[in-house]
Amino acid sequence: MVVLLHLPRLHSAVFLTKSLSPYKTHFNLIPKLRRHVIKSTLSTTSEPTHNLTLPEEETPVQISLEKLFVPPETDVPSDASTLSLRSRILKGSNILLSKYARDAQVMQAEFVKSSVKTQDCPSDGFPEFALVGRSNVGKSSLLNSLVRRKRLALTSKKPGKTQCINHFRINDSWFLVDLPGYGYAAAPHELRIDWQKFTKDYFLNRPTLVSVFLLIDASIPAKPIDLEYASWLGENQIPMTLIFTKCDKRKKKKNGGKRPEENVNDFLDLIRGFFQAEPPWIMTSSVTNQGRDEILLHMAQLRNYWLKH
């Protein structure tokens, strides 16, 4: 189990142990602990969450105790059993609930502005969460699902529509940020370069950024570009949560397809080879709303901790 320390900007204490081209670093992998396997679930008997209704878990994933994400200021007894922690783990994730998981509902959402430079982003000082992922990963659909609005963010069957840093103000107190997708070959070369430049500048220089939510398509095998993106975020100590999308899709086994939970496990196995500690992750579906409330609870506990410190 990895208990996170209080680091600037809520850095996730996830460090690379070897580089994913073209990035380089030199950190040692922490020793692996004995595994205690539990299934993720959620109970809100001990912490207030404002009566969010969580869906039945559609794709249960077994989690080793030492691979849980433990938020800052969350007490976990050294002799804690899997049974005692089971009710505190968000469904379809490796995230432990903390005392900061409150005020999670989205009551109001509005588009504020689009920016092409970090310095042009809103100056309200509100905490914000950035959504980024490979083009056609379902980023805009997830954003719409989070706020229960069909057209808050632009969705399109043609990838690459998001070309700016788009800020959406939530409850007049924090931001969801929709960033350009990466890896869409049909986009003009000069635009792909510009997107990469201003997106990375935003990650490095936006003081109100609480965490980056990196979206990974769980309906297909891991893509090298996703691993490289995660590598860059980890190397630069950008707080990161992995959001596995399209977990409702089922490939036919006779055609060699894998279930979403199998692709999730495969991606996490690859990540473990490069990171000292496994980052927080959540399985989602914009079709069934799986993971919606779990994301909002996770955002709430990160946001409330960030506001306090």
Side-chain angles (χ1 to χ4, degrees):
M1 183 188 305
V2 179
V3 180
L4 302 188
L5 302 178
H6 178 199
L7 299 175
R9 286 183 57 192
L10 261 182
H11 289 324
S12 59
V14 176
F15 301 110
L16 295 172
T17 59
K18 50 186 176 180
S19 63
L20 282 169
S21 177
Y23 312 110
K24 297 180 180 180
T25 187
H26 305 282
F27 288 93
N28 294 323
L29 187 65
I30 60 174
K32 292 187 179 295
L33 306 177
R34 181 182 176 184
R35 291 190 176 186
H36 300 276
V37 178
I38 55 180
K39 288 186 178 181
S40 63
T41 183
L42 172 66
S43 171
T44 58
T45 55
S46 59
E47 300 293 345
T49 58
H50 288 251
N51 299 320
L52 284 175
T53 301
L54 300 181
E56 291 297 321
E57 188 171 10
E58 301 173 21
T59 50
V61 175
Q62 291 186 331
I63 306 168
S64 299
L65 184 60
E66 73 274 10
K67 292 186 173 67
L68 289 179
F69 173 85
V70 181
E73 295 186 9
T74 301
D75 294 329
V76 179
S78 58
D79 60 347
S81 66
T82 57
L83 183 61
S84 65
L85 290 180
R86 182 173 179 176
S87 64
R88 296 174 56 191
I89 304 171
L90 289 170
K91 290 182 179 180
S93 82
N94 69 332
I95 299 169
L96 200 65
L97 275 177
S98 77
K99 62 184 179 181
Y100 292 102
R102 59 182 183 271
D103 301 323
Q105 303 128 309
V106 173
M107 307 301 295
Q108 181 184 14
E110 59 179 333
F111 172 74
V112 176
K113 67 177 300 188
S114 295
S115 311
V116 294
K117 295 180 180 179
T118 305
Q119 56 266 36
D120 294 335
C121 292
S123 56
D124 309 60
F126 292 152
E128 54 194 58
F129 298 88
L131 305 181
V132 68
R134 191 166 48 83
S135 292
N136 207 29
V137 74
K139 180 162 49 66
S140 295
S141 295
L142 178 66
L143 194 155
N144 290 333
S145 174
L146 289 175
V147 301
R148 297 192 186 279
R149 295 263 296 274
K150 290 185 177 181
R151 295 193 59 81
L152 181 69
L154 177 65
T155 58
S156 174
K157 293 182 179 179
K158 183 178 180 180
K161 283 290 185 181
T162 304
Q163 300 179 13
C164 299
I165 305 172
N166 297 307
H167 275 75
F168 300 87
R169 186 163 49 230
I170 309 298
N171 298 345
D172 202 28
S173 60
W174 58 282
F175 285 113
L176 278 173
V177 184
D178 188 13
L179 295 176
Y182 56 83
Y184 182 50
H189 181 65
E190 62 274 12
L191 278 182
R192 293 206 304 273
I193 294 175
D194 288 343
W195 294 349
Q196 183 182 59
K197 181 179 179 180
F198 75 64
T199 298
K200 290 184 176 180
D201 180 74
Y202 166 82
F203 290 151
L204 294 170
N205 298 307
R206 184 64 171 169
T208 52
L209 176 63
V210 177
S211 182
V212 174
F213 281 55
L214 178 61
L215 276 59
I216 308 295
D217 189 342
S219 69
I220 59 175
K223 295 287 186 181
I225 192 171
D226 292 328
L227 295 170
E228 290 181 3
Y229 215 95
S231 167
W232 186 88
L233 291 171
E235 182 182 3
N236 287 276
Q237 298 189 31
I238 308 298
M240 175 182 66
T241 295
L242 297 174
I243 302 297
F244 293 100
T245 65
K246 306 182 183 181
C247 290
D248 59 291
K249 292 192 174 183
R250 300 283 165 177
K251 302 293 184 180
K252 293 182 178 180
K253 294 292 288 185
K254 65 180 181 180
N255 294 331
K258 288 187 174 182
R259 298 191 303 273
E261 53 267 34
E262 292 177 303
N263 287 324
V264 168
N265 283 328
D266 288 347
F267 190 91
L268 293 174
D269 284 342
L270 292 171
I271 285 292
R272 290 180 191 122
F274 293 92
F275 288 80
Q276 186 183 37
E278 187 171 299
W281 54 265
I282 304 173
M283 297 179 67
T284 72
S285 166
S286 297
V287 175
T288 66
N289 284 326
Q290 175 189 356
R292 174 190 182 272
D293 290 338
E294 286 80 0
I295 290 177
L296 292 177
L297 281 167
H298 179 52
M299 286 180 170
Q301 62 185 14
L302 295 180
R303 182 175 69 249
N304 289 323
Y305 176 85
W306 185 91
L307 287 169
K308 181 179 178 182
H309 296 84

